[in-house]
Amino acid sequence: MILISGATGNVGGELLRQLHAEGTAVRALTRDPSRARFPAGVDVAEGDFGAPESLAEAFSGAESAFLMMSSNQTAVLREAARAGVRRIVLLSTMAVETRPESLIGRLHLEAERAVTESGLEWTFLRPGQFASNTRAWRAQIAAGDVIRTPFPRVGLPAVHTGDIASVARTALTREGHAGAAYSLTGPEPVTPVEQVAAIGRAIGRELRHEEITAERAAEEMAAHMPPEIVAATLEFVGSPTEAETRAQPTVEKVTGEPARTFAEWARDNADSFR
């Protein structure tokens, strides 16, 4: 049995679907089982990382677990170890390597440290930019044909969430990945202008990009993000390091399948923009 946290999210949801499709026994962790919808045959457990003591039943009988970062990471891992979980795959971030001094990097480094100190077998997934971040444009696409972002020609190798899930699935179900930290990217850098065009093709519309200033973007993001996260995000997408712009071969090395392009992600997720 594999426990999946974040099972209603982009990566966790895709991981659950992949494991379920291949016949692996999976259990979805959710705070509110009455509102969650999962494929038939998926075990569902109620629990909250904010209350680690609520996780005992969810971890019971699970040999492996896919975990997200938590402010209670040590207590969560203690519950996992007590229940007999052997293997942890943690969704971390490339920022622990490229921007360890940033808030995002520091928080994920703390989470990784808690995992390494837990005594459990572990694998870290460190994706760069998620292709799914462009879902933030849905309101603009619903309102018209213009997508406004800063840094229109700064390219990052955005990674398909299905590829992150595929690496997680491999690490959870195959031997040989203990102690590995995998940097994950798409196959090539892609700019916001190119992303907008790819989404337009996927949904059959003529979308166009319009540049806004970083200051305006910060104002809009501040409505739903802490200031330090806004600053770190804009620095990452506007002034990436050489390492952050470099496509990594990790997805293919781990899974045997080449990383999917942003255009493929857009086609796979076209319905979410219609």
Side-chain angles (χ1 to χ4, degrees):
M1 175 69 73
I2 297 175
L3 177 71
I4 302 176
S5 67
T8 59
N10 290 322
V11 179
E14 177 61 27
L15 174 59
L16 184 145
R17 287 187 288 272
Q18 290 185 18
L19 288 167
H20 183 64
E22 69 178 18
T24 301
V26 290
R27 177 180 296 151
L29 177 66
T30 176
R31 287 192 293 265
D32 188 355
S34 67
R35 298 180 62 183
R37 297 290 179 270
F38 300 109
V42 171
D43 190 25
V44 181
E46 182 175 358
D48 187 347
F49 279 6
E53 66 280 0
S54 72
L55 301 172
E57 185 175 345
F59 281 126
S60 179
E63 295 183 355
S64 305
F66 174 75
L67 299 182
M68 317 288 284
M69 183 195 72
S70 165
S71 59
N72 296 311
Q73 202 80 53
T74 298
V76 169
L77 292 162
R78 189 181 302 120
E79 292 294 337
R82 185 177 294 136
V85 172
R86 179 175 66 89
R87 177 180 299 176
I88 298 294
V89 172
L90 178 73
L91 183 61
S92 185
T93 173
M94 186 181 290
V96 302
E97 305 168 17
T98 61
R99 301 173 188 270
E101 75 290 344
S102 70
L103 176 62
I104 296 171
R106 293 198 311 270
L107 291 175
H108 283 86
L109 274 172
E110 290 171 7
E112 288 190 5
R113 189 173 300 115
V115 173
T116 58
E117 293 174 353
S118 70
L120 300 174
E121 181 181 306
W122 57 266
T123 305
F124 298 147
L125 308 186
R126 295 172 175 172
Q129 187 186 55
F130 285 43
S132 59
N133 288 354
T134 56
R135 285 200 173 106
W137 300 344
R138 285 183 292 190
Q140 294 188 70
I141 291 173
D145 295 329
V146 180
I147 311 303
R148 299 172 177 85
T149 79
F151 318 120
R153 289 176 176 78
V154 177
L156 291 166
V159 60
H160 195 303
T161 43
D163 287 338
I164 302 173
S166 293
V167 174
R169 173 171 52 84
T170 302
L172 285 163
T173 60
R174 306 285 190 271
E175 298 300 326
H177 302 281
Y182 292 131
S183 298
L184 305 176
T185 72
E188 60 189 1
V190 56
T191 67
V193 171
E194 293 166 334
Q195 291 173 331
V196 168
I199 292 171
R201 288 191 297 271
I203 64 176
R205 286 174 57 185
E206 290 289 335
L207 301 180
R208 64 183 178 86
H209 182 277
E210 182 177 291
E211 183 177 5
I212 60 172
T213 65
E215 291 74 20
R216 179 175 171 186
E219 291 175 3
E220 295 174 355
M221 294 165 67
H224 50 85
M225 285 186 186
E228 196 168 356
I229 298 293
V230 170
T233 300
L234 289 174
E235 184 178 1
F236 175 77
V237 299
S239 301
T241 66
E242 190 277 333
E244 290 164 346
T245 61
R246 187 192 317 132
Q248 301 284 350
T250 318
V251 170
E252 185 167 11
K253 284 185 176 180
V254 175
T255 69
E257 298 291 334
R260 285 169 278 188
T261 65
F262 182 85
E264 289 177 278
W265 181 87
R267 290 194 295 270
D268 292 343
N269 294 272
D271 285 346
S272 66
F273 293 100
R274 292 191 173 108

